[in-house]
Amino acid sequence: MKIYTLESKNEILAILTHKDNMSYRDFRNICLEVNEEAQNDFYTLKDILINDYEFAPVEACGGFEVAKKKGSM
């Protein structure tokens, strides 16, 4: 399963998945097309992706930001 995110200013606003494991390019092209219709409104964009393009929201309970030391894997 691939995960797709909708982001704004380095903040993840939504996490989505799709039954077809499409490429990033395909996802981006759909978002660009839909964004024109949505007039750059996040909620409209998300609604169209879910209802018209069969994306599904991923339920996430939280995250934790960690610092990666230089040179570590």
Side-chain angles (χ1 to χ4, degrees):
M1 167 175 53
K2 289 185 179 178
I3 300 293
Y4 309 94
T5 59
L6 298 176
E7 303 173 21
S8 177
K9 300 177 185 171
N10 296 323
E11 179 182 358
I12 296 175
L13 302 177
I15 302 171
L16 305 170
T17 189
H18 196 273
K19 63 182 178 174
D20 299 330
N21 285 326
M22 66 182 68
S23 68
Y24 166 73
R25 183 181 310 185
D26 292 338
F27 173 68
R28 186 177 184 280
N29 287 338
I30 290 171
C31 287
L32 289 171
E33 179 183 319
V34 171
N35 200 38
E36 288 181 19
E37 181 181 342
Q39 298 178 352
N40 208 31
D41 176 63
F42 161 70
Y43 295 103
T44 304
L45 173 67
K46 180 181 168 191
D47 185 57
I48 292 171
L49 289 175
I50 291 171
N51 293 309
D52 296 350
Y53 289 86
E54 299 180 355
F55 281 87
V58 174
E59 299 297 326
C61 63
F64 182 74
E65 186 172 335
V66 297
K68 184 177 174 184
K69 291 183 180 181
K70 189 174 182 177
S72 65
M73 295 180 101

